[in-house]
Amino acid sequence: RHRIQKLTDEAAKRQAAAFMLQARDFFLSAQGSEISAAKPLLLYYSFLNLAKCFVVYKRGSALATVRHGLSEKLPSTAGAIHGNVSIDISQNPAVSAFVMFAQALGAQLPTPAPNSTHVQMRSQDFLAQILIAHRVFCQAENIKERFISLDNVDYVHDPEAKEAWLRVRAYADDFTRHGYPLTGLSRYLNEQLTWRNVNCDLEHSGRRIIEAETTTTVAYTHRPSQVIGQLSDQCRSRMWRSATAYPPYRKYYVYQPAQSQILLDQLLSIYISTFYFGSITRYKPEQFDFILNSSIGPFVFEFFSNQPSQFLYLMASEFMEQEVAKAAIA
């Protein structure tokens, strides 16, 4: 509310405020709803309105027609629990809430195949990118875990050259115990920034530390803090975050994708997963009950119990352009 009051366009300010109030009321209603009833649908509409509010805030102007930009398809095979979501990438991007949300976040979207305007994304792929209860999901799907926690994320600078870059650390055994190569630390951080593994002789409690850093530096004129935001924006798409109530208030992870798996920004993964379950709840509630009683049922319960509040903290951070968390006051 504080941020959208800074909008100078009065129509945009009124619209953003209305979207925010609807998002809040849908969210509060969801808190009193059973997961097996209306909670997924209520939360999706909460996130939809919050996303529209964010788009208006970033654009500084009011929106006209808005559509979901997503369509869910349930599996046709008897007993199957996974379907897919069709993402409208280029047919009607100007009215797609999902595309506009991605643009406001500065997040990249997959490119459709030739002669197509949509991208089909399997539910296995976007649900596997949910940080909350990821281990539970992997156990249910009988796949190895794909998130590797980062021990540290540092902003490094050279005061003589007035250049800054990023360096991350992780435990080597977190990669090897899952059968991932140590080069996976740098390989799957690559997108807007290029990373490389660097030599590191450190150990913590007998565990080997590995490091990676960006190969491209960012120049600054006076203080390195001038470019922290730029560096953060360029690496955010390949670092998943969990909001914590204790310093440093964020825990970071890198994702080791399956071959040809489509990767989405963390907030987009949460959003599309909520849409998927919300759509099933709306149109085929009996199928959602079936999913809750399936092998991924515990994951779905955990997702709707703890992911919503994480989404709000991450979205608050986007509005404020700095990390927002609950204070760790004893």
Side-chain angles (χ1 to χ4, degrees):
R1 182 184 298 112
H2 173 73
R3 297 300 279 187
I4 62 178
Q5 287 302 314
K6 297 179 180 294
L7 289 170
T8 56
D9 186 297
E10 289 299 321
K13 186 186 297 185
R14 289 193 302 271
Q15 189 183 63
F19 286 150
M20 185 195 65
L21 290 174
Q22 281 205 331
R24 183 198 65 185
D25 284 358
F26 275 122
F27 190 89
L28 293 175
S29 296
Q31 301 314 295
S33 174
E34 292 290 332
I35 292 176
S36 58
K39 186 185 287 286
L41 186 60
L42 291 169
L43 282 173
Y44 168 66
Y45 277 102
S46 173
F47 293 173
L48 170 64
N49 279 281
L50 187 56
K52 290 192 291 185
C53 176
F54 183 64
V55 171
V56 174
Y57 169 69
K58 295 292 282 187
R59 290 187 175 187
S61 58
L63 302 179
T65 302
V66 178
R67 299 173 184 167
H68 298 292
L70 303 170
S71 57
E72 160 268 322
K73 183 178 181 181
L74 285 168
S76 56
T77 305
I81 57 175
H82 286 296
N84 62 54
V85 169
S86 177
I87 307 172
D88 177 1
I89 300 293
S90 57
Q91 184 176 29
N92 296 292
V95 298
S96 165
F98 188 77
V99 171
M100 288 190 286
F101 185 33
Q103 292 171 341
L105 290 170
Q108 294 186 6
L109 290 174
T111 302
N115 302 318
S116 177
T117 58
H118 290 63
V119 168
Q120 304 293 325
M121 193 165 180
R122 305 186 312 162
S123 63
Q124 299 100 307
D125 288 341
F126 56 74
L127 294 179
Q129 295 174 47
I130 299 299
L131 187 55
I132 293 290
H134 175 72
R135 181 170 296 173
V136 176
F137 180 81
C138 292
Q139 290 173 345
E141 293 289 288
N142 195 29
I143 59 175
K144 61 184 179 181
E145 296 172 33
R146 303 197 180 280
F147 282 113
I148 304 293
S149 64
L150 298 177
D151 179 62
N152 206 13
V153 180
D154 288 327
Y155 296 92
V156 188
H157 74 104
D158 181 340
E160 296 295 329
K162 291 190 180 300
E163 294 175 337
W165 64 97
L166 284 165
R167 181 178 293 157
V168 300
R169 291 177 179 171
Y171 288 105
D173 55 24
D174 281 341
F175 286 83
T176 56
R177 67 190 172 93
H178 293 304
Y180 295 122
L182 299 184
T183 53
L185 175 60
S186 60
R187 183 189 310 167
Y188 296 118
L189 286 168
N190 287 336
E191 192 181 50
Q192 294 186 50
L193 294 173
T194 302
W195 294 73
R196 65 184 177 192
N197 278 40
V198 297
N199 291 329
C200 180
D201 298 324
L202 295 176
E203 286 190 358
H204 284 177
S205 302
R207 300 175 68 190
R208 179 189 170 193
I209 297 291
I210 57 174
E211 285 187 345
E213 66 180 9
T214 55
T215 60
T216 304
T217 59
V218 177
Y220 60 90
T221 54
H222 299 293
R223 297 178 302 275
S225 58
Q226 292 176 293
V227 296
I228 284 179
Q230 181 180 345
L231 284 169
S232 299
D233 285 341
Q234 291 176 332
C235 75
R236 54 163 292 157
S237 62
R238 288 298 175 262
M239 285 190 194
W240 276 253
R241 301 169 290 166
S242 62
T244 66
Y246 50 85
Y249 302 107
R250 288 295 185 273
K251 178 67 177 172
Y252 293 89
Y253 300 80
V254 61
Y255 188 83
Q256 308 289 302
Q259 188 175 8
S260 73
Q261 184 179 14
I262 296 172
L263 290 183
L264 294 176
D265 178 272
Q266 181 180 9
L267 285 165
L268 295 181
S269 295
I270 299 170
Y271 184 95
I272 199 172
S273 298
T274 309
F275 165 82
Y276 177 70
F277 288 127
S279 182
I280 295 173
T281 302
R282 180 180 183 181
Y283 295 108
K284 287 193 174 181
E286 74 282 2
Q287 180 67 19
F288 186 68
D289 288 338
F290 176 75
I291 292 173
L292 285 178
N293 290 307
S294 72
S295 59
I296 68 169
F299 161 79
V300 178
F301 272 102
E302 183 70 11
F303 176 82
F304 284 109
S305 296
N306 293 307
Q307 188 65 80
S309 60
Q310 287 277 314
F311 186 82
L312 293 190
Y313 277 111
L314 295 176
M315 283 299 296
S317 300
E318 294 297 331
F319 276 95
M320 295 299 296
E321 297 183 2
Q322 64 185 54
E323 300 289 27
V324 175
K326 185 181 293 185
I329 299 175

